[in-house]
Amino acid sequence: MASEFTKLIDDLGYAKTFYPTSHVTQYINSLASRIYLNIYKNRKEESNRLVNFWKHSVPLAVRKHHSMLLFAFVVFTLFFCVGFFSGKNDESFVREVLGDSYVNMTERFIEEGNPFGVYRSGNPVLMWLGLMINNIVVSFMYFAKGIFFGVLSIYSLVREAIRLGAFEYMFFSKGLGAKAALTVLLHGTLEVSAIIIASAAGVVLGKSILFPGTINRWKSLQVGLKDGLKIVIGLVPVFITAAFIEGFVTRYYDMPVVFSSAILLASAAFIIWYFILYPVQVSNKQSKS
């Protein structure tokens, strides 16, 4: 069949060149189409397309927009510092950002000798599921806001950075800065990194509208939407894991430093590998192919 198909393709090329409107050309084309379908209709599909999505599609999309990830990271770092030092210079700033009820609750926990008691409240399973759903929804919202030229995605990231900076200063002012950083980063390394990347995906969407390049704006928007969605969907396992750590592990924040440090370093190593190093490797491999 394959041999006959090859001969037919040769005949079809000749017929289209010299007899483009002939009924013979249409006949050969129908024969070739029929054989093509017979050859490929039972072709075995790739066994695990889901694995391929996270193994190739997401890393390639991330690599394509590494500059946007760097931009989002710089914005987050800058405004985290703004939140931290604003809290240091204005005592009322922390309450304005985090709310009186949360600050009062935290101060009560600190007085009781349980500064991070908020992580020990509630059922761990319900806490995990609630945080997981909330964070995934928030990440898609940050991405969707990118349709407004990326401005709202950046604004949301700025607010999040300022809030975390003020949160860290609240504990720093009580002499618990290092402990707070170690505790929050147990789950925060994955969670905060994913929020930064989701915001970057929103910027990718906005950039596709503002700067379409050599293609028309509608086509550019489609490409930006597709790339951004790949990135955000690729973050779902990260949010699931971060919520699991926050629900089941962070409540034991008084664990030996070696264990908490190991979790933190493993999380950071994964983020650096999967969103920085591995995309470069996959992209280079594809280029060579």
Side-chain angles (χ1 to χ4, degrees):
M1 188 186 293
S3 176
E4 293 297 327
F5 178 68
T6 302
K7 294 177 182 178
L8 269 175
I9 292 300
D10 291 339
D11 292 339
L12 181 61
Y14 183 89
K16 282 188 173 182
T17 301
F18 296 102
Y19 310 100
T21 61
S22 171
H23 290 298
V24 174
T25 302
Q26 297 175 20
Y27 173 69
I28 297 174
N29 186 65
S30 66
L31 286 179
S33 299
R34 195 178 311 153
I35 295 179
Y36 178 88
L37 291 174
N38 285 333
I39 292 174
Y40 289 100
K41 69 179 181 180
N42 294 320
R43 185 177 58 174
K44 185 178 180 181
E45 291 292 334
E46 188 172 346
S47 59
N48 200 332
R49 299 179 67 182
L50 195 61
V51 171
N52 184 66
F53 176 76
W54 269 280
K55 191 176 179 180
H56 294 101
S57 298
V58 173
L60 287 173
V62 170
R63 174 56 182 153
K64 183 178 177 181
H65 302 288
H66 259 171
S67 59
M68 294 298 100
L69 267 66
L70 177 61
F71 170 74
F73 175 76
V74 170
V75 169
F76 178 86
T77 303
L78 175 63
F79 283 94
F80 175 89
C81 295
V82 169
F84 185 90
F85 289 105
S86 294
K88 184 177 181 180
N89 295 321
D90 183 357
E91 294 182 358
S92 64
F93 181 79
V94 174
R95 289 184 174 273
E96 290 177 5
V97 173
L98 300 178
D100 288 329
S101 59
Y102 186 83
V103 174
N104 292 337
M105 178 187 66
T106 302
E107 289 180 346
R108 185 175 70 254
F109 279 134
I110 292 174
E111 291 173 359
E112 295 172 354
N114 184 25
F116 307 103
V118 66
Y119 294 114
R120 288 179 171 171
S121 60
N123 183 285
V125 175
L126 295 179
M127 188 176 181
W128 169 43
L129 294 175
L131 289 168
M132 176 185 68
I133 295 171
N134 176 74
N135 290 338
I136 291 173
V137 170
V138 167
S139 69
F140 275 92
M141 287 178 60
Y142 280 17
F143 166 64
K145 290 178 179 179
I147 196 67
F148 298 102
F149 311 110
V151 174
L152 293 185
S153 294
I154 297 172
Y155 175 73
S156 298
L157 180 63
V158 166
R159 288 189 59 184
E160 190 70 22
I162 291 175
R163 187 182 70 83
L164 287 173
F167 175 87
E168 180 62 25
Y169 177 75
M170 177 175 61
F171 289 99
F172 181 83
S173 64
K174 307 293 183 181
L176 296 167
K179 186 67 176 178
L182 189 60
T183 299
V184 173
L185 289 179
L186 277 174
H187 60 273
T189 303
L190 293 176
E191 185 178 299
V192 173
S193 298
I195 288 174
I196 293 172
I197 295 169
S199 300
V203 177
V204 168
L205 180 59
K207 178 176 174 288
S208 70
I209 302 172
L210 289 173
F211 308 105
T214 58
I215 59 178
N216 67 69
R217 205 174 300 276
W218 173 244
K219 181 63 176 178
S220 176
L221 174 60
Q222 289 178 306
V223 173
L225 179 64
K226 185 177 180 180
D227 288 346
L229 271 176
K230 285 180 181 179
I231 294 172
V232 177
I233 294 174
L235 291 171
V236 170
V238 178
F239 282 118
I240 293 173
T241 305
F244 180 85
I245 294 174
E246 187 170 357
F248 288 92
V249 180
T250 305
R251 61 180 57 239
Y252 302 108
Y253 62 85
D254 51 1
M255 69 179 78
V257 175
V258 64
F259 293 137
S260 55
S261 298
I263 295 172
L264 192 157
L265 291 174
S267 299
F270 171 77
I271 292 296
I272 292 171
W273 172 72
Y274 187 73
F275 291 99
I276 299 177
L277 302 179
Y278 183 61
V280 174
Q281 180 184 349
V282 174
S283 179
N284 290 341
K285 186 176 180 180
Q286 186 187 60
S287 298
K288 290 179 181 179
S289 299

